Amino acid sequence: MPGERRETVAEQSVPTHAADTMAYQVATDIRALRAFVSAGALARGLSAERVELLTLAVSELATNTLQHTTGGGWVRLWAEPGQLFCDVVDQGPTRAFGRSMPAADSVRGRGLAIVEQICDEVAVLTSPGETVVRIRLSL
């Protein structure tokens, strides 16, 4: 169910032989990042409609990285049977998920709420110097 956060997505290991990665550092990298995510998701069997949702989610997360952290980040994309995973990794603080959608007249604050609404699962994983937002969509 969209927006649900369960341990399964957080515990999913990353198969190094099947994951594609791309780094981003400036706002002009976001267009190429969207193309990378779209092509990789389509190649792994995600429907075109779901590819648009994944691309939007990654774009929101990467934009947050560029607005609220330094040093840019990177994206890792891989599939397991029946599901597609995408990590958005940066050096920023842990993201606070679980908030409601901001009021219509709010200027900011919708990105993370959108990600939770359009992905099947969302988890935040942290380690020293690294924060990973892992999202999953069913194939």
Side-chain angles (χ1 to χ4, degrees):
M1 168 174 281
E4 232 178 274
R5 288 179 309 281
R6 296 184 293 210
E7 292 305 311
T8 56
V9 71
E11 294 173 357
Q12 178 65 38
S13 63
V14 179
T16 56
H17 65 279
D20 291 331
T21 61
M22 180 180 169
Y24 60 96
Q25 293 187 337
V26 295
T28 55
D29 292 339
I30 299 296
R31 177 183 287 180
L33 183 63
R34 288 182 192 123
F36 164 80
V37 169
S38 294
L42 279 171
R44 288 169 171 83
L46 194 62
S47 70
E49 179 181 303
R50 303 277 282 166
V51 166
E52 288 182 25
L53 295 175
L54 175 64
T55 303
L56 173 61
V58 171
S59 181
E60 289 293 331
L61 292 169
T63 299
N64 279 353
T65 294
L66 295 175
Q67 289 179 345
H68 302 292
T69 72
T70 59
W74 54 280
V75 170
R76 175 175 44 215
L77 184 68
W78 77 100
E80 295 292 333
Q83 49 197 347
L84 183 78
F85 291 89
C86 187
D87 287 349
V88 179
V89 184
D90 63 33
Q91 297 176 359
T94 301
R95 309 307 190 277
F97 283 93
R99 292 187 261 173
S100 59
M101 188 67 70
D105 60 351
S106 295
V107 175
R108 301 175 59 113
R110 287 182 179 72
L112 298 181
I114 289 169
V115 171
E116 283 190 289
Q117 292 297 312
I118 63 177
C119 296
D120 295 328
E121 293 184 67
V122 179
V124 179
L125 312 158
T126 58
S127 61
E130 181 176 272
T131 297
V132 178
V133 177
R134 180 166 292 168
I135 55 181
R136 184 192 64 80
L137 284 88
S138 297
L139 292 173

